[in-house]
Every structure is written in C-alpha cells, then in structure tokens.
C-alpha cells in the first residue's frame, strides 16, 4: 500500500501594502485612486476658474470630498443633524454648502498686519467665525466657494496661505511661539521653518503622501513633539554644541503612539534636509492599502526606530547621522499664558480664550491693541493660546486690560487655561457631541464650583466630539471622548467616556480608560468636580494629577 502524497498549497504572496518603494503602485483605496488620477494641488485652478464662478453644485465628488482639502477646505456639517445620525448618513447628506477653511501659520508667528487681515477676512466672508487650533492654525467656517479666490487675493500677498492646510501632505509646521525671544534659546529655528515651506512649494510630489504628515521644530519642548510624525527638539551635544534631537512616529487619533527617538543629533542647518528625507521616505515606504495604517507611526511601529534611521541615512540622506543625547522634556506644559520676560528687555504676554474660540472682530482688535502696546508680532500656540510678543513692559498692563473684555485673559483661571476642545458637532461631520459651547459653559461652571480648591498644579481637560482625539484626550489629565450615552431615564443623550491621567512632557503617557463609566454632557461638571476634590484631598505633596490618577483605585475615579 502506497502512502498518499501530500501536496501543500503554494505559499501566498505577502499582501501589498501599497509601498511605492517596493513597486506597489496600484491604487488600493478611493483616496489613492483620486490622487493617482490628478495631483490634488491642481484643484486650486479649478476653484478659481470653475467652482467660484458656477458655485457649490459644480464641484464633482473627487474634488469636493477629496482634493479640496489640499486647498485648506473641508465641507462643514449641515446644521440640525444630531450626533446620533453621524454614522448613519452618507457624507453627502451631512454636507452643508459651506466650507471650513484653514489658514496655516507655519511656526505660529504673525505680524499684526497679517492678524488684522485674518480678522477682516473672517468678518467679511466667514460670518465673523475664527478658532485658534492646537496646530498653530486659524479656522474659519461658513466659507462660500464663490469667495475663495477673493480670500486668497487678500491673504496671500501677506505671506499667508491655505494650500495643504489639510489633505495627505505635510501640514503646518509647529514651532515655538516665542522663537527668537527668550534667553534660554540657543538656536532660533525660524529660518529652517521658512526653508521647509520653500521645499514644500517646490516639490509637488510631496502633495501625495499616504496620509497627513505633521512636523514640530523648536529649541524648547513647547510644540508637542511627542505627537508629531517628525520633531526636532533642542539639545546640546557634548562635542558639537547646540543642535536638535530627532523624534519620529508620533500621533494620536484612535490608535495613539508617542514619538520615539532616532538617536540622532542634527545641526541647525541640516534640519530642512533631514525633514525632506523623512517626508520622501514616508511617501515611498508608507502604507497605502488601508487609511488606518497609513501614518508614519505604523511604519515606525513595524520597522522600529533603528531601521527607520538606517533607511533614512542610506537611501535618502546618503550619509550617516551623528549619534546624540536626548532632549529633556519639562514636567509641565509651556503655554506662556501671562507675562514672560524676553531677552531684549521686552515681554511676551500670553492670553487664553476658552478652547481657542475667538472671532474675526476679536483678532483685528488684538492687532490694534498690540500696536498700541508697541508690538508688531503675535503668535499662536499648540495649546489654542495667543501671545503678543515684543511688548514694552510699561504697556503690558494696558494690553491686558484692553483684551480682557474681549474674552482673552492673561490672568486666567486654571480651568480657562487648561481646557481644550475640538470643533465638535457644531461644524464637524465626524462629531457625535457638541464641544466648543460645552467648554464655555463647563469652564464657567468649574470656576464657580472649584474656586476655593487649592491645587499645586493645574489640571488639563480635553473635550473631544468623537474618538479621533483632535483635543488630545489620551494625553490630557481629564480626557472626555464624545459618544452617545444612556441617561438615568433611559434616553440616548450626548455624553463622554473618560480617559484619566494622560500627559505630555517628562512622563508622557496615556490616561486610564474607564470603559464602564460614562457621563452625560450635563453631568460633566459634577463629575470633574468630584475628581478634582478627590485629587486635592488625596494627592501626595507635589503629585501631579496624572500620577494620582494612575495609582488610586478605579472606584475613586468613577
């Protein structure tokens, strides 16, 4: 009897991830298809020649929900659609015939003339809407496509732009909001940010990346380096002097990852070259099959920092990078709210508006007040704050008094200072709950409830309208992720899941997710009051909220 012969199936070829460097050029999802069909930057001319003349109805699908993003434009949510229908409706049913427009402010620095122009555009074309984002940007709403060329004509001669404010491309470069001003800054990186802007404009191939690419460059640890695709943070090399530590692969959303060190030290003049090499690496090796795996953080997770550095050096830089020491993170956020002394004898005065919500009228008023205080420079921060730079110390109090009636406070309560919120249900098509208005009422509520509670350290709050973490819920002391919850009467209402004890800085990490614990939006004030009172009563001397929340029993956090 002859034994049967076993014929194993041939091994299946590895699934294509859409990595161009490996010859995998076939479009693998709808976004890759429309990018392959036409460079998204080409939508600009169609806006000018066609859509601005023929209106919203003339915009085809691939431009409306695709390439328009590369012009800094997203369709906004149609009013009156509740959060329970966000996942049920087709995107076209959620669309209003107006756009969010994002003005990118690379490095965060503006002249008062630029700020005034931003305010004037808001008042004329955006129903006076304006939000300071946590990416150094200004966002408008209610933009009619017919007005877009006129807006560009007004802002672009001043050096402002919306190009690649959104889309699968290098987004705005975060920088220190006090760059070139403070005594402890050994390198002012503003020239390198400007060089990167020029590289971006000169190479249209960078407009087709697998997903967005975020950058942070600052001597100080004040531009959230842990959550960017690439970050350069100041550090002194023991042999070569001041330069920059390089971090890569950070990002939040539904699968958060903190950036890791590449172990390399980069001199100031090499920043643009290293940045350009990393963007091209992402362009060529990034995963294009699934949108959820298309950020650099996934490649870093799969490859590891050593391989990323090796490919960067051998295939793109064609030279090794120097090894270097780690930059040191502070143990608290640097938001510059209040008065900060500058090296030249002037001061920077930082202001907070609740969750970054301002208006065009307010921004133009800030520009006038800054000029009255002898300043021609304003900056936006990665924490939704605004800073007036180069102020004569003798005029600082005059400036503070002028802006306080506008809702901008230099001497802010802990809750006004520490609360961030995303766009939320008001305009965002992904949102499930309302956030900006809730942040305003919550801050007022907490100011009243917790006025007498002494805190050694401030407590940060992140309000997010969906799971995507635009308000950084995983790295906030109290992160509230919007979702529908059941109230005490069995009704589905707006609410939040809590993430507690996350932080950035020296002990960066994610908060504890309380899976079984939900709070309604109306109960948020009660819940935060309970948490903060428990923290104030039970914290050890000098203990941060994140440390406390990480060690106490979960029932204390309910």
């Amino acid at each position: 009897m002859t034994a049967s012969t076993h014929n194993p199936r041939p091994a299946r070829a590895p699934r294509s991830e859409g990595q161009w460097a490996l010859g995998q050029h076939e479009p693998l999802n709808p976004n890759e298809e429309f990018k392959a069909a036409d460079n998204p930057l080409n939508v600009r001319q169609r806006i000018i020649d066609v859509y601005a003349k023929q209106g919203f109805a003339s915009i085809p699908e691939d431009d409306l929900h695709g390439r328009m993003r590369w012009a800094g434009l997203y369709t906004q949510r149609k009013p009156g659609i509740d959060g329970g229908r966000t996942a049920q409706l087709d995107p076209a049913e959620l669309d209003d015939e107006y756009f969010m427009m994002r003005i990118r402010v690379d490095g965060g620095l503006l002249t008062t003339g630029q700020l005034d122009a931003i305010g004037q555009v808001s008042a004329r074309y955006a129903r006076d809407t304006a939000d300071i984002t946590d990416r150094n940007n200004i966002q408008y709403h209610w933009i009619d496509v017919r007005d877009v060329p006129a807006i560009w004509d007004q802002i672009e001669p001043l050096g402002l732009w919306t190009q690649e404010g959104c889309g699968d491309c290098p987004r705005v470069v975060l920088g220190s909001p006090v760059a070139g001003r403070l005594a402890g800054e050994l390198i002012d990186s503003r020239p390198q940010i400007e060089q990167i802007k020029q590289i971006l404009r000169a190479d249209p191939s960078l407009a087709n990346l697998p997903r967005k690419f975020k950058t942070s460059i600052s001597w100080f640890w004040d531009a959230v380096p842990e959550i960017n695709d690439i970050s350069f943070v100041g550090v002194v090399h023991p042999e070569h002097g001041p330069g920059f530590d390089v971090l890569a692969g950070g990002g939040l959303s539904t699968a958060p990852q903190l950036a890791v060190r590449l172990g390399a030290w980069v001199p100031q003049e090499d920043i643009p070259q290293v940045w350009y090499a990393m963007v091209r690496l992402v362009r060529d090796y990034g995963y294009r099959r699934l949108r959820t795996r298309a950020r650099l953080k996934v490649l870093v997770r799969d490859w590891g920092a050593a391989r990323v550095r090796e490919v960067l050096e051998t295939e793109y830089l064609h030279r090794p990078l120097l090894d270097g020491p780690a930059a040191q993170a502070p143990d608290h956020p640097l938001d510059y709210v209040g008065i900060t002394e500058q090296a030249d004898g002037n001061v920077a005065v930082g202001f907070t508006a609740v969750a970054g919500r301002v208006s065009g009228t307010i921004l133009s008023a800030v520009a006038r007040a800054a000029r009255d205080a002898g300043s021609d420079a304003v900056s936006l921060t990665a924490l939704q704050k605004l800073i007036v730079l180069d102020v004569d110390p003798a005029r600082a109090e005059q400036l503070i008094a002028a802006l306080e009636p506008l809702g901008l406070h230099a001497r802010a309560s802990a809750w006004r200072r520490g609360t961030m919120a995303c766009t939320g249900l008001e305009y965002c098509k992904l949102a499930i709950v309302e956030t900006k208005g809730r942040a305003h009422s919550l801050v007022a509520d907490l100011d009243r409830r917790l006025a007498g509670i002494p805190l050694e350290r401030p407590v940060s709050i992140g309000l997010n309208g969906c799971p995507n973490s635009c308000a950084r819920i995983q790295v906030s002391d109290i992160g509230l992720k919007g979702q529908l919850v059941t109230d005490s009467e069995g009704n589905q209402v707006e609410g939040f899941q809590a993430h507690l004890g996350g932080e950035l800085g020296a002990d960066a990490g994610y908060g504890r997710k309380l899976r079984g614990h939900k709070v309604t939006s109306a109960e948020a004030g009660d819940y935060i009051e309970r948490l903060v009172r428990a923290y104030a009563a039970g914290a050890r001397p000098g203990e941060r909220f994140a440390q406390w929340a990480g060690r106490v029993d979960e029932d204390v956090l309910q």
Side-chain angles (χ1 to χ4, degrees), residues 400-409:
I400 291 170
L403 297 191
E404 187 165 336
L406 303 177
L408 292 166
H409 294 258

Side-chain angles (χ1 to χ4, degrees), residues 340-364:
T340 302
E341 294 184 1
Q342 297 183 182
D344 62 1
N346 289 319
V347 296
V349 187
F351 296 87
T352 180
V354 174
R357 174 57 55 89
V358 285
S359 69
T361 299
I362 288 172
L363 294 178
S364 290

Side-chain angles (χ1 to χ4, degrees), residues 43 45-65 67-68 97 99 144-146:
V43 78
Q45 201 59 45
R46 290 194 289 275
I47 292 171
I48 295 170
D49 294 341
V50 182
Y51 311 145
K53 295 175 181 177
Q54 298 182 14
F56 185 88
S58 68
I59 309 172
E61 171 66 20
D62 279 356
D63 279 355
L64 181 63
H65 294 119
R67 301 182 191 95
M68 297 286 279
E97 293 191 0
F99 293 87
D144 190 320
V145 70
R146 298 174 190 270

Side-chain angles (χ1 to χ4, degrees), residues 372-392:
D372 290 343
S375 169
D376 188 44
V378 175
S379 63
L380 310 176
T381 85
L383 297 173
Q384 298 181 330
K385 308 296 188 283
L386 180 148
I387 304 173
V388 181
L389 302 162
D390 308 333
V391 176
D392 183 335

Side-chain angles (χ1 to χ4, degrees), residues 470-484:
C470 294
R472 304 177 187 156
I473 50 176
Q474 297 101 330
V475 291
S476 297
D477 287 318
I478 302 174
L480 298 177
K481 180 176 72 179
Q483 60 185 80
L484 295 180

Side-chain angles (χ1 to χ4, degrees), residues 401-434:
L403 297 191
E404 187 165 336
L406 303 177
L408 292 166
H409 294 258
R411 298 186 177 95
S413 71
W415 311 111
R416 175 181 289 269
R417 186 171 180 171
T419 299
M420 293 177 58
C422 69
T423 298
L425 191 66
E426 183 179 11
Y427 299 116
C428 179
K429 293 184 298 179
L430 300 177
I432 302 167
V433 306
E434 197 274 339

